[in-house]
Amino acid sequence: MMKKEDLRIVFMGTPEFAVATLQALVENGYQVVAVVTQPDKPVGRHGSVLQPSAVKQYATEHGLPVLQPEKMKDPAFVEQLRSYQANLQVVVAFRMLPEVVWAMPEYGTFNVHAALLPQYRGAAPINWAVINGETETGVTTFFLDHDIDTGRIIMQLPFAIPDEADVEYVYDGLMHLGADICLQTLERIIAADGHPESVPQGDAQVKSAPKIFKETCEIVWKQPAKSIYDFVRGLSPYPGAWTTIQGADGKETVLKIYHTTKTGRSCDGVELGSIMTDKKHIFVATDDEWLQVDELQMAGKKRMDAVSFLNGMKNAEWRLLTR
């Protein structure tokens, strides 16, 4: 029977989300022979400082060899990867791999995905699950194949999404659950001598999770308050849902909104996007009810609560643009 020591693992990942799984591998005595991550990113005003990924920082601190290919099909990288003689690869929050890479190890390559596949295939599964008002998501391990997020499923673990939770809460929960499911998947692989049971994914009524861009994050006010509420928390704290306000001088300013509250108070007969305020609260008229805006941020300013915002806007005329 295979033992833990028989596995030579290459780990692939980039952001903080992936670090929890890499850390779990290291702390549980798995033999991580190399780590593959994105090249360092230029940061700062002139891009003169190179920032290593969170995964690289952890790997370097723990003496793990790090590979940072610009292109995954680069022959020099492929040969270097092969030289580590890994018989398994683990991928968490990385990039799409070519077949020459994912098919290289004897026992294949499995991915830890932050959703219950086949639902929410794509780059932003955590955001979209919250935006769509799901009450449950989870993590999945599956073997990579030719198409993105479509391979045979090894394991799944569910995760409840409370109605008040924002994407940060779900991200943190799935980050740690992802580490757990990776360890459980490795136990299955070892018990099955490298070939665990796996099942094909279905395709019926699959919700996708495409990459999120700035324009994706603009709030559409012509919809029920619950949909806007979910949209805001699905993008909070990052990248942040936004709208536009206009001052009396006609100047438009981007306003990010991080937290709202459903009031249950009907706004029938009120023009969409109308604002109602008192000294402590901001309410916006949606398709069905008033939505209370609790935390927001003007372009160039700090994030603040509604009271601070209203104090700063005293005697200023402004309105919400609902285009």
Side-chain angles (χ1 to χ4, degrees):
M1 180 178 168
M2 180 189 290
K3 297 178 182 177
K4 180 188 287 190
E5 296 74 29
D6 296 330
L7 284 179
R8 291 178 58 84
I9 298 171
V10 165
F11 181 86
M12 300 185 182
T14 295
E16 177 197 15
F17 188 89
V19 174
T21 301
L22 176 58
Q23 182 178 353
L25 293 176
V26 171
E27 292 182 355
N28 283 273
Y30 283 97
Q31 186 180 185
V32 179
V33 295
V35 171
V36 182
T37 191
Q38 295 276 47
D40 295 357
K41 290 177 63 175
V43 295
R45 175 175 285 183
H46 305 294
S48 55
V49 178
L50 291 177
Q51 176 73 36
S53 72
V55 163
K56 180 181 178 179
Q57 291 179 51
Y58 180 88
T60 302
E61 289 168 3
H62 291 79
L64 302 174
V66 176
L67 310 181
Q68 295 178 275
E70 291 283 352
K71 296 180 180 178
M72 299 299 291
K73 290 183 179 179
D74 180 359
F77 163 69
V78 172
E79 284 310 306
Q80 188 179 17
L81 185 63
R82 188 172 281 118
S83 72
Y84 286 98
Q85 298 181 319
N87 48 20
L88 180 69
Q89 291 175 157
V90 177
V91 180
V92 184
F94 195 46
R95 56 205 276 194
M96 193 167 180
L97 304 181
E99 184 174 2
V100 67
V101 171
W102 59 255
M104 186 183 295
E106 176 185 1
Y107 304 130
T109 300
F110 77 80
N111 183 281
V112 177
H113 186 75
L116 297 175
L117 292 172
Q119 299 301 333
Y120 297 109
R121 293 172 179 158
I126 306 175
N127 298 94
W128 285 109
V130 180
I131 288 170
N132 289 337
E134 303 288 358
T135 57
E136 183 181 78
T137 183
V139 287
T140 302
T141 50
F142 68 96
F143 285 115
L144 294 192
D145 63 10
H146 293 92
D147 298 313
I148 192 162
D149 298 337
T150 60
R152 295 178 66 88
I153 291 173
I154 310 166
M155 279 192 70
Q156 294 189 313
L157 294 175
F159 182 84
I161 305 177
D163 183 64
E164 70 279 3
D166 63 17
V167 77
E168 185 174 45
Y169 171 90
V170 183
Y171 179 99
D172 289 346
L174 294 185
M175 179 171 67
H176 295 104
L177 196 62
D180 292 343
I181 199 173
C182 179
L183 295 177
Q184 292 181 41
T185 299
L186 288 171
E187 289 170 3
R188 288 194 181 189
I189 288 172
I190 291 167
D193 287 328
H195 303 285
E197 183 180 346
S198 60
V199 297
Q201 293 186 35
D203 282 313
Q205 299 180 327
V206 170
K207 298 174 185 175
S208 62
K211 188 174 181 179
I212 289 175
F213 299 94
K214 181 184 177 182
E215 55 269 26
T216 315
C217 301
E218 183 175 12
I219 298 170
V220 176
W221 293 98
K222 189 171 177 53
Q223 56 181 328
K226 172 68 164 70
S227 298
I228 300 169
Y229 170 81
D230 291 336
F231 186 78
V232 168
R233 65 193 184 99
L235 296 168
S236 180
Y238 184 82
W242 62 273
T243 190
T244 307
I245 61 172
Q246 186 180 59
D249 58 0
K251 183 180 178 182
E252 296 182 7
T253 304
V254 169
L255 186 72
K256 285 193 172 184
I257 297 179
Y258 295 101
H259 191 277
T260 63
T261 300
K262 295 168 289 179
T263 65
R265 291 161 50 199
S266 172
C267 56
D268 281 353
V270 180
E271 184 181 354
L272 181 75
S274 294
I275 302 290
M276 182 172 65
T277 65
D278 55 29
K279 290 183 179 180
K280 295 184 177 180
H281 303 99
I282 302 169
F283 303 97
V284 181
T286 70
D287 248 5
D288 58 356
E289 67 180 64
W290 290 101
L291 185 68
Q292 180 176 306
V293 177
D294 305 309
E295 291 183 44
L296 58 174
Q297 181 180 21
M298 294 263 286
K301 306 284 186 180
K302 291 182 178 179
R303 178 172 169 173
M304 62 187 78
D305 59 22
V307 174
S308 301
F309 176 82
L310 290 169
N311 286 339
M313 297 292 282
K314 270 182 181 174
N315 303 319
E317 289 185 29
W318 58 282
R319 70 186 187 95
L320 192 68
L321 298 182
T322 56
R323 58 172 179 262

